Coordinates of all heavy atoms in Angstrom, one line a residue:
Chain B
A285 N 17.6 12.3 -13.9 CA 17.9 11.8 -12.5 C 17.8 10.3 -12.3 O 18.2 9.9 -11.2 CB 17.0 12.6 -11.5
G286 N 17.3 9.6 -13.3 CA 17.2 8.1 -13.1 C 16.1 7.9 -12.1 O 16.3 6.8 -11.4
L287 N 15.0 8.5 -12.1 CA 14.1 8.4 -10.9 C 12.7 7.7 -11.7 O 11.8 7.7 -10.9 CB 13.7 9.7 -10.2 CG 14.8 10.3 -9.6 CD1 14.3 11.7 -9.0 CD2 15.2 9.5 -8.4
E288 N 13.0 7.3 -12.8 CA 11.7 6.7 -13.4 C 11.4 5.3 -12.4 O 12.1 4.6 -12.1 CB 12.0 6.1 -14.8 CG 12.4 7.1 -15.8 CD 13.7 7.7 -15.7 OE1 14.6 7.0 -15.1 OE2 13.8 8.9 -16.0
E289 N 10.0 5.3 -12.1 CA 9.6 4.0 -11.4 C 10.2 4.1 -9.8 O 10.3 3.0 -9.4 CB 9.9 2.7 -12.0 CG 9.3 2.7 -13.5 CD 9.5 1.5 -14.2 OE1 10.3 0.6 -13.6 OE2 9.0 1.3 -15.3
T290 N 10.5 5.3 -9.5 CA 11.1 5.4 -8.1 C 9.9 5.8 -7.2 O 9.2 6.8 -7.4 CB 12.3 6.4 -8.0 OG1 13.2 5.8 -8.9 CG2 12.7 6.5 -6.7
P291 N 9.8 5.1 -6.0 CA 8.8 5.6 -5.1 C 9.2 6.9 -4.3 O 10.4 6.8 -3.7 CB 8.6 4.2 -4.1 CG 9.8 3.5 -4.2 CD 10.4 3.9 -5.7
I292 N 8.5 7.8 -4.2 CA 8.8 9.0 -3.5 C 7.9 9.0 -2.2 O 6.8 8.9 -2.2 CB 8.4 10.3 -4.3 CG1 8.9 10.1 -5.7 CG2 8.8 11.5 -3.6 CD1 8.4 11.3 -6.7
N293 N 8.7 9.1 -1.1 CA 8.1 9.3 0.2 C 7.6 10.7 0.5 O 6.6 11.0 1.0 CB 8.9 8.8 1.3 CG 9.2 7.3 1.3 OD1 10.0 6.8 0.8 ND2 8.0 6.5 1.6
G294 N 8.5 11.6 0.1 CA 8.2 13.0 0.5 C 8.8 14.0 -0.5 O 9.9 13.6 -1.1
A295 N 8.3 15.2 -0.6 CA 8.8 16.0 -1.6 C 8.8 17.4 -1.0 O 7.6 17.8 -0.6 CB 8.1 16.1 -3.0
I296 N 9.9 18.1 -0.8 CA 9.9 19.5 -0.2 C 10.3 20.5 -1.2 O 11.4 20.2 -1.9 CB 10.7 19.6 1.1 CG1 10.2 18.5 2.1 CG2 11.0 20.9 1.7 CD1 11.2 18.4 3.2
V297 N 9.7 21.5 -1.5 CA 10.2 22.6 -2.2 C 10.5 23.8 -1.3 O 9.7 24.2 -0.5 CB 9.1 22.9 -3.3 CG1 9.6 24.3 -4.0 CG2 8.8 21.9 -4.3
R298 N 11.7 24.3 -1.6 CA 12.1 25.5 -0.7 C 12.5 26.6 -1.7 O 13.2 26.6 -2.6 CB 13.3 25.1 0.1 CG 12.9 24.7 1.6 CD 14.3 24.5 2.4 NE 14.1 24.1 3.7 CZ 13.8 24.9 4.8 NH1 13.7 26.2 4.5 NH2 13.6 24.4 6.0
L299 N 11.8 27.7 -1.3 CA 12.3 29.1 -1.9 C 12.8 30.1 -0.8 O 12.1 30.1 0.2 CB 11.1 29.7 -2.7 CG 10.7 28.8 -3.9 CD1 9.4 28.2 -3.6 CD2 10.4 29.6 -5.1
F300 N 13.8 30.7 -1.0 CA 14.5 31.5 -0.2 C 14.1 32.9 -0.4 O 14.1 33.5 -1.6 CB 15.9 31.3 -0.2 CG 16.3 29.9 0.4 CD1 16.4 28.9 -0.6 CD2 16.6 29.7 1.8 CE1 16.8 27.6 -0.2 CE2 16.9 28.3 2.1 CZ 17.0 27.4 1.2
A301 N 13.8 33.7 0.6 CA 13.3 35.2 0.6 C 14.4 36.1 1.3 O 15.0 35.6 2.2 CB 12.0 35.1 1.2
D302 N 14.4 37.2 0.8 CA 15.2 38.3 1.4 C 14.3 39.2 2.2 O 14.0 40.3 1.8 CB 16.1 39.1 0.3 CG 17.1 40.0 1.0 OD1 17.0 40.1 2.3 OD2 17.8 40.8 0.3
S303 N 13.9 38.6 3.3 CA 12.9 39.4 4.1 C 13.6 40.7 4.8 O 12.9 41.6 5.1 CB 12.3 38.6 5.2 OG 13.4 38.1 6.0
V304 N 14.9 40.6 4.9 CA 15.6 41.9 5.5 C 15.4 43.0 4.5 O 15.1 44.1 4.9 CB 17.2 41.5 5.6 CG1 17.9 42.8 6.1 CG2 17.2 40.4 6.7
L305 N 15.5 42.8 3.3 CA 15.4 43.8 2.3 C 13.9 44.2 2.4 O 13.7 45.6 2.1 CB 15.7 43.3 0.9 CG 15.5 44.3 -0.3 CD1 16.4 45.5 -0.1 CD2 15.8 43.7 -1.7
V306 N 12.9 43.5 2.4 CA 11.6 43.9 2.4 C 11.2 44.6 3.8 O 10.5 45.6 3.7 CB 10.7 42.7 2.2 CG1 9.1 43.0 2.3 CG2 10.9 42.0 0.8
N307 N 11.8 44.2 4.7 CA 11.5 44.9 6.0 C 12.2 46.3 6.2 O 12.0 47.0 7.1 CB 12.0 44.1 7.2 CG 10.9 43.0 7.7 OD1 9.6 43.4 7.4 ND2 11.4 41.9 7.9
D308 N 13.2 46.6 5.2 CA 13.9 47.9 5.4 C 12.9 49.0 4.6 O 12.9 49.2 3.4 CB 15.2 47.7 4.5 CG 16.0 49.1 4.6 OD1 15.7 49.8 5.4 OD2 16.9 49.0 3.7
T309 N 12.3 49.7 5.5 CA 11.3 50.7 5.0 C 11.5 52.1 5.6 O 12.2 52.2 6.6 CB 9.8 50.3 5.5 OG1 10.0 50.3 7.0 CG2 9.4 48.9 5.1
P310 N 11.0 53.1 5.0 CA 11.2 54.5 5.4 C 10.5 54.6 6.7 O 9.6 53.7 7.0 CB 10.6 55.2 4.3 CG 10.5 54.4 3.0 CD 10.3 53.0 3.5
P311 N 10.7 55.6 7.5 CA 9.9 55.8 8.8 C 8.4 55.8 8.6 O 8.0 56.4 7.6 CB 10.5 57.3 9.3 CG 11.7 57.4 8.5 CD 11.7 56.7 7.3
N312 N 7.7 55.3 9.5 CA 6.3 55.3 9.4 C 5.6 54.6 8.2 O 4.6 54.6 8.0 CB 5.7 56.8 9.6 CG 6.1 57.4 10.8 OD1 6.0 56.9 11.8 ND2 6.5 58.7 10.5
F313 N 6.5 53.8 7.4 CA 6.1 53.2 6.3 C 5.8 51.6 6.7 O 6.8 51.0 7.1 CB 7.1 53.4 5.1 CG 6.5 52.9 3.9 CD1 6.0 53.9 2.9 CD2 6.5 51.6 3.5 CE1 5.5 53.6 1.7 CE2 6.0 51.3 2.1 CZ 5.4 52.3 1.3
V314 N 4.7 51.2 6.3 CA 4.3 49.8 6.8 C 4.4 49.1 5.4 O 3.7 49.5 4.4 CB 2.9 49.7 7.3 CG1 2.6 48.2 7.5 CG2 2.9 50.4 8.8
R315 N 5.1 47.9 5.4 CA 5.2 47.1 4.2 C 5.1 45.7 4.7 O 6.1 45.0 5.0 CB 6.6 47.3 3.5 CG 6.5 46.5 2.1 CD 8.0 46.5 1.5 NE 8.3 47.9 1.0 CZ 9.6 48.4 1.3 NH1 10.6 47.6 1.9 NH2 9.9 49.5 0.8
P316 N 3.9 45.2 4.8 CA 3.8 43.8 5.4 C 4.4 42.8 4.4 O 4.4 42.9 3.2 CB 2.2 43.6 5.3 CG 1.6 45.0 5.3 CD 2.5 45.8 4.5
L317 N 5.0 41.8 5.0 CA 5.6 40.8 4.2 C 4.6 39.9 3.7 O 3.5 39.6 4.4 CB 6.6 40.0 5.2 CG 7.7 40.8 5.8 CD1 8.6 39.8 6.7 CD2 8.6 41.4 4.7
L318 N 4.9 39.2 2.7 CA 4.1 38.3 2.0 C 4.4 36.9 2.9 O 5.3 36.3 2.6 CB 4.4 38.1 0.5 CG 3.6 37.0 -0.4 CD1 2.2 37.4 -0.3 CD2 4.2 36.8 -1.7
R319 N 3.5 36.7 3.7 CA 3.7 35.6 4.7 C 3.3 34.3 4.1 O 3.9 33.4 4.5 CB 2.9 35.9 6.1 CG 3.4 37.1 6.7 CD 3.9 36.7 8.0 NE 4.6 37.9 8.7 CZ 5.9 37.7 9.1 NH1 6.6 36.7 8.8 NH2 6.5 38.7 9.7
E320 N 2.3 34.2 3.3 CA 1.8 32.9 2.9 C 1.6 33.0 1.3 O 1.2 33.9 0.7 CB 0.4 32.6 3.4 CG -0.2 31.4 3.1 CD -1.4 31.1 3.7 OE1 -1.6 30.8 4.9 OE2 -2.6 31.1 3.0
I321 N 2.2 32.0 0.7 CA 2.1 31.8 -0.9 C 1.7 30.3 -1.0 O 1.8 29.5 -0.3 CB 3.4 32.0 -1.5 CG1 4.5 31.3 -1.0 CG2 3.5 33.5 -1.6 CD1 5.8 31.6 -1.7
Q322 N 1.2 30.1 -2.3 CA 0.7 28.8 -2.6 C 1.5 28.3 -3.9 O 2.0 29.0 -4.6 CB -0.9 28.8 -3.2 CG -1.7 29.3 -2.1 CD -3.1 29.3 -2.6 OE1 -3.3 29.4 -3.9 NE2 -4.1 29.4 -1.7
L323 N 1.7 27.0 -3.7 CA 2.5 26.4 -4.9 C 1.4 25.7 -5.8 O 0.8 24.8 -5.3 CB 3.5 25.3 -4.3 CG 4.3 24.5 -5.4 CD1 5.2 25.5 -6.1 CD2 4.9 23.3 -4.9
V324 N 1.4 26.1 -7.0 CA 0.3 25.5 -7.9 C 1.1 24.8 -9.1 O 2.2 25.2 -9.4 CB -0.6 26.5 -8.4 CG1 -1.4 27.2 -7.3 CG2 0.0 27.4 -9.5
G325 N 0.5 23.8 -9.6 CA 1.0 23.2 -10.7 C 0.0 23.5 -12.0 O -1.3 23.4 -11.8
V326 N 0.6 23.8 -13.0 CA -0.2 24.4 -14.2 C 0.0 23.3 -15.2 O 1.2 22.9 -15.5 CB 0.3 25.8 -14.6 CG1 -0.6 26.3 -15.7 CG2 0.3 26.6 -13.4
D327 N -1.1 22.9 -16.0 CA -1.0 22.0 -17.1 C -0.8 22.7 -18.4 O -0.7 23.9 -18.4 CB -2.2 21.0 -17.1 CG -3.5 21.6 -17.5 OD1 -3.6 22.9 -17.8 OD2 -4.4 21.0 -17.3
E328 N -0.9 22.0 -19.3 CA -0.6 22.7 -20.8 C -1.7 23.6 -21.1 O -1.5 24.5 -22.0 CB -0.3 21.6 -21.8 CG -1.5 20.5 -21.9 CD -1.1 19.4 -22.7 OE1 0.1 19.4 -23.2 OE2 -2.2 18.6 -23.0
N329 N -2.8 23.5 -20.6 CA -4.0 24.2 -21.0 C -4.2 25.3 -20.0 O -5.1 26.1 -20.2 CB -5.3 23.3 -20.9 CG -5.2 22.2 -22.0 OD1 -4.8 22.4 -23.1 ND2 -5.7 21.0 -21.4
G330 N -3.2 25.6 -19.1 CA -3.4 26.7 -18.2 C -4.2 26.5 -17.1 O -4.2 27.4 -16.1
L331 N -4.7 25.2 -16.8 CA -5.4 24.9 -15.7 C -4.4 24.6 -14.4 O -3.5 24.1 -14.7 CB -6.3 23.7 -16.0 CG -7.4 23.9 -17.1 CD1 -8.1 22.6 -17.3 CD2 -8.4 25.0 -16.8
F332 N -4.8 25.1 -13.4 CA -3.9 24.9 -12.3 C -4.6 24.3 -11.0 O -5.6 24.3 -10.9 CB -3.3 26.1 -11.8 CG -4.2 27.1 -11.1 CD1 -4.3 27.2 -9.7 CD2 -5.0 28.1 -11.9 CE1 -5.3 28.1 -9.2 CE2 -6.0 29.0 -11.4 CZ -6.1 28.9 -9.9
V333 N -3.7 23.5 -10.3 CA -4.1 22.9 -9.1 C -3.2 23.3 -8.0 O -2.0 23.3 -8.2 CB -4.2 21.4 -9.3 CG1 -2.8 20.9 -9.7 CG2 -4.8 20.7 -7.9
T334 N -3.9 23.5 -6.8 CA -2.9 24.0 -5.7 C -2.2 22.8 -5.1 O -3.0 21.9 -4.7 CB -3.8 24.7 -4.6 OG1 -4.3 25.8 -5.2 CG2 -2.9 25.3 -3.6
L335 N -1.0 22.7 -5.0 CA -0.3 21.7 -4.5 C 0.2 21.8 -3.0 O 0.6 20.9 -2.5 CB 0.9 21.3 -5.4 CG 0.7 21.0 -6.9 CD1 1.9 20.8 -7.7 CD2 -0.3 20.0 -7.0
G336 N 0.3 23.0 -2.6 CA 0.8 23.2 -1.4 C 0.7 24.7 -0.9 O 0.6 25.5 -1.8
V337 N 0.8 24.9 0.4 CA 0.7 26.2 1.0 C 1.9 26.3 1.9 O 2.2 25.5 2.7 CB -0.7 26.6 1.7 CG1 -0.7 28.0 2.4 CG2 -1.8 26.4 0.7
A338 N 2.6 27.6 1.9 CA 3.7 27.7 2.8 C 3.7 28.9 3.4 O 3.2 30.0 2.8 CB 5.1 27.5 2.0
T339 N 4.2 29.1 4.7 CA 4.3 30.4 5.4 C 5.7 30.8 5.5 O 6.7 29.8 5.6 CB 3.6 30.4 6.6 OG1 4.0 29.3 7.5 CG2 2.0 30.3 6.6
L340 N 6.2 31.8 5.5 CA 7.5 32.3 5.6 C 8.0 31.9 7.1 O 7.5 32.1 8.0 CB 7.6 33.9 5.6 CG 9.0 34.5 5.4 CD1 9.7 34.1 4.0 CD2 8.7 36.0 5.6
T341 N 9.1 31.2 6.9 CA 9.7 30.6 8.2 C 10.8 31.6 8.8 O 11.1 32.5 8.2 CB 10.5 29.2 7.8 OG1 11.6 29.5 6.9 CG2 9.5 28.2 7.2

Side-chain angles (χ1 to χ4, degrees):
Chain B
L287 294 177
E288 296 78 21
E289 302 177 357
T290 299
I292 306 172
N293 294 100
I296 298 174
V297 174
R298 267 190 182 269
L299 293 106
F300 295 88
D302 188 355
S303 57
V304 173
L305 178 62
V306 178
N307 276 328
D308 184 16
T309 59
N312 300 315
F313 195 98
V314 173
R315 186 190 292 137
L317 298 179
L318 182 63
R319 293 246 171 235
E320 183 179 283
I321 52 174
Q322 297 178 345
L323 179 69
V324 305
V326 185
D327 70 5
E328 57 187 9
N329 297 316
L331 299 175
F332 69 91
V333 58
T334 304
L335 303 176
V337 176
T339 54
L340 190 65
T341 62

